[in-house]
Amino acid sequence: MALIHVMTIFAISLITPMSIADAGGKFYLSDAGVFGQKDGKIMVSADAIEWKSYAIGLMDPKGIAVLNDTSLLVVDMNSIWLVHSRKAYLYVSQTDFPMPAKFLKDIAVGPSGEIYVTDMKLNRIFRIDPMRKVDTLLSIDKPSGITVAPDSSVYFVTFTSPGAVYRLKDGKISLIFTSHMIDNANSIAIDPYGHALFVSSYTSGNIVRIDLKLLKGQVIDTVHTPGDMTVTSDGKFLLVPLTREAGVKKISIK
């Protein structure tokens, strides 16, 4: 594997960065602000260095995902919001779920527009169709980060010890990796080619690269309280929000 070069970027305008998404070279980030106060917002940046406010009025936004060329989805407490043209609109409410959502953690959008969201307190992963109908995809202990591969396989991690990585493909779920390296696994990202996963441990701060062919993991960096990561669309960098340090860490993965 190539030498890993690391650069930390601190942005004065960030307070509690939680999750980051790459929309084809433009970056969006959810910032929870002060927990429990309605100061959560979505930030935008052209370089993941200088951030500007894009949408406000949220409580404690966490997982964020690109829905299409003009819109984002973000989970906030027990609801999902659509962010479009600098405004946030309620997309799926707490009561739209098969059971009232409690603690939505992360969200991912598949190639065909299917939406997946994790609820850590309900121990559920939900699937949402284009008509916004919500159904329970599966039940599992403390699902946390989630991502979708180019081939539509769904990968997710659990906030457990040891941490675990699961794959859902063709309706079948399989445990593909488990290790204390990823205790209390918090987030997961995949490269654009579907070759490798990147998983963070909230406990240790380890960032682990998992080769999807060999199913072996390697610690490539350690940070403090990593948020929900993303791989840039060119596959060259991993961007890691630092929730308690108000910054974003940029890791070269090529």
Side-chain angles (χ1 to χ4, degrees):
M1 184 177 175
L3 178 66
I4 303 295
H5 300 286
V6 176
M7 176 172 57
T8 305
I9 303 164
F10 290 96
I12 296 174
S13 59
L14 301 181
I15 299 175
T16 312
M18 299 298 295
S19 180
I20 191 168
D22 182 346
K26 184 178 288 186
F27 305 99
Y28 293 91
L29 180 144
S30 61
D31 190 325
V34 178
F35 288 116
Q37 296 185 18
K38 198 172 183 180
D39 60 347
K41 54 188 176 292
I42 305 302
M43 307 294 286
V44 64
S45 174
D47 54 14
I49 299 175
E50 296 184 3
W51 295 91
K52 296 180 180 179
S53 178
Y54 183 75
I56 61 173
L58 299 168
M59 182 65 78
D60 295 325
K62 294 180 176 64
I64 190 170
V66 176
L67 178 62
N68 52 44
D69 292 342
T70 61
S71 303
L72 308 164
L73 292 175
V74 60
V75 297
D76 189 5
M77 307 289 287
N78 51 32
S79 302
I80 300 173
W81 293 76
L82 174 75
V83 180
H84 176 77
S85 297
R86 298 185 174 272
K87 293 183 179 180
Y89 305 88
L90 185 61
Y91 190 74
V92 179
S93 72
Q94 179 184 25
T95 56
D96 289 332
F97 288 83
M99 58 195 75
K102 288 187 176 181
F103 186 79
L104 301 180
K105 172 61 171 64
D106 199 13
I107 190 167
V109 179
S112 301
E114 63 277 19
I115 300 165
Y116 303 91
V117 61
T118 58
D119 190 316
M120 287 183 65
K121 289 189 176 180
L122 283 181
N123 299 322
R124 299 286 194 279
I125 297 178
F126 296 103
R127 178 174 50 200
I128 305 167
D129 70 18
M131 300 303 292
R132 302 191 214 178
K133 181 183 177 182
V134 187
D135 61 56
T136 300
L137 183 64
L138 59 91
S139 301
I140 196 163
D141 190 32
K142 297 180 181 178
S144 185
I146 192 165
T147 191
V148 183
D151 68 355
S152 296
S153 297
V154 178
Y155 293 89
F156 63 93
V157 294
T158 56
F159 200 79
T160 54
S161 180
V165 181
Y166 292 86
R167 174 173 57 208
L168 179 65
K169 185 175 183 179
D170 300 326
K172 297 180 180 179
I173 185 172
S174 55
L175 174 65
I176 64 167
F177 185 83
T178 184
S179 170
H180 286 293
M181 287 192 296
I182 56 168
D183 274 357
N184 293 328
N186 186 50
S187 70
I188 185 170
I190 191 167
D191 70 37
Y193 319 106
H195 295 163
L197 296 171
F198 298 87
V199 176
S200 68
S201 163
Y202 192 80
T203 303
S204 66
N206 286 338
I207 306 296
V208 176
R209 180 186 186 274
I210 301 171
D211 185 302
L212 281 174
K213 184 176 181 180
L214 302 176
L215 297 182
K216 293 184 177 180
Q218 174 190 2
V219 177
I220 63 171
D221 194 28
T222 300
V223 303
H224 184 55
T225 58
D228 292 323
M229 314 174 291
T230 194
V231 176
T232 55
S233 55
D234 59 11
K236 293 181 179 180
F237 297 98
L238 180 69
L239 300 178
V240 187
L242 305 176
T243 61
R244 294 189 181 178
E245 297 182 7
V248 175
K249 195 162 197 176
K250 186 177 184 179
I251 305 173
S252 173
I253 54 176
K254 282 294 185 178

